[in-house]
Amino acid sequence: MACRISEIVIEARDPELLARFWAEVLDYVEINREGEAVEIGPPDTGFGGPQPILVFDRTNDNPRVKLPLHIDVSPTDQDQEAELARLLALGARHADVGQTGQESWHVLADPEGNEFCLLRQRIS
């Protein structure tokens, strides 16, 4: 017996903004709303599918310190540089976490400053 990650809950000052951003990044769609929470997931599968859904839940807390968890994404249909340009156009920005400049990945932040990495290797 084992468990599988079914959803990841992310506290957000603006759940709508982050849901739209991450839906574009991941090619997800809105699948549910409950109160101020917005759930996004893969089209045609939603909760329980092979990929976890993301739930953006409103928080009014002050900006937090660095989270002990971040998301890594990989390009699926174009190379890393083209995907980087797409993510920056969606509202991501470069983030400095002390990288040397020799890394094969790019460290970015979403519109609320949550760090994530764009890896080089394409996956399907």
Side-chain angles (χ1 to χ4, degrees):
M1 207 56 153
C3 289
R4 179 166 60 94
I5 296 173
S6 56
E7 62 185 42
I8 298 170
V9 179
I10 301 168
E11 292 182 348
R13 290 180 300 282
D14 188 342
E16 295 283 338
L17 174 68
L18 283 191
R20 280 192 311 272
F21 174 81
W22 283 103
E24 286 292 324
V25 169
L26 300 171
D27 194 26
Y28 274 20
V29 297
E30 182 179 314
I31 58 173
N32 194 27
R33 287 178 177 261
E34 195 168 311
E36 293 187 76
V38 181
E39 297 179 16
I40 63 171
D44 303 323
T45 57
F47 183 83
Q51 297 170 284
I53 66 169
L54 299 179
V55 179
F56 297 93
D57 198 6
R58 180 171 304 282
T59 182
N60 292 318
D61 291 342
N62 291 326
R64 52 203 172 270
V65 296
K66 182 178 167 81
L67 297 174
L69 172 82
H70 75 261
I71 296 172
D72 288 345
V73 296
S74 297
T76 59
D77 59 354
Q78 58 187 351
D79 68 20
Q80 183 188 43
E81 290 308 309
E83 185 63 8
L84 175 62
R86 186 181 82 86
L87 296 177
L88 293 171
L90 289 174
R93 60 186 186 278
H94 290 280
D96 182 1
V97 296
Q99 57 270 46
T100 66
Q102 301 302 312
E103 294 81 7
S104 63
W105 60 87
H106 293 278
V107 181
L108 303 169
D110 72 14
E112 286 198 3
N114 300 304
E115 295 161 357
F116 67 99
C117 293
L118 171 62
L119 305 181
R120 176 176 293 166
Q121 186 172 351
R122 287 175 55 176
I123 60 173
S124 54

